[in-house]
Amino acid sequence: MVNATKGMFISCDVPMAQFIINYNGSLPASQKFIIHILDNTHLFVQPHAGEMIRNAIQEFREQNSYEKPN
């Protein structure tokens, strides 16, 4: 018998994959979204997590952007 799980495939570079894995690790158990880490650059996550991951990445980039002082 085959078990199938609906999810979303993420392909990214190694630093972004580590960011997503660490973000997942910071959440309570009921909100964790990673189903399987396929390798260093590929993740399989729950389908509802896409927007949540995009928002976390956007917030991280905004916090780490350099703005030249006037």
Side-chain angles (χ1 to χ4, degrees):
M1 181 158 185
V2 176
N3 292 328
T5 303
K6 186 175 182 179
M8 182 172 66
F9 177 75
I10 296 177
S11 179
C12 56
D13 60 1
V14 174
M16 187 56 62
Q18 286 301 311
F19 173 79
I20 295 169
I21 292 167
N22 288 335
Y23 177 63
N24 183 68
S26 71
L27 297 173
S30 63
Q31 295 181 356
K32 293 190 186 283
F33 53 82
I34 293 179
I35 297 171
H36 192 73
I37 300 171
L38 303 170
D39 62 23
N40 289 338
T41 59
H42 299 97
L43 306 169
F44 190 61
V45 302
Q46 294 178 359
H48 66 79
E51 193 61 34
M52 182 172 60
I53 294 169
R54 283 187 202 97
N55 290 337
I57 292 169
Q58 182 64 29
E59 183 178 318
F60 176 75
R61 287 184 175 163
E62 287 172 3
Q63 291 174 353
N64 291 300
S65 296
Y66 175 76
E67 292 184 24
K68 184 177 179 180
N70 292 337

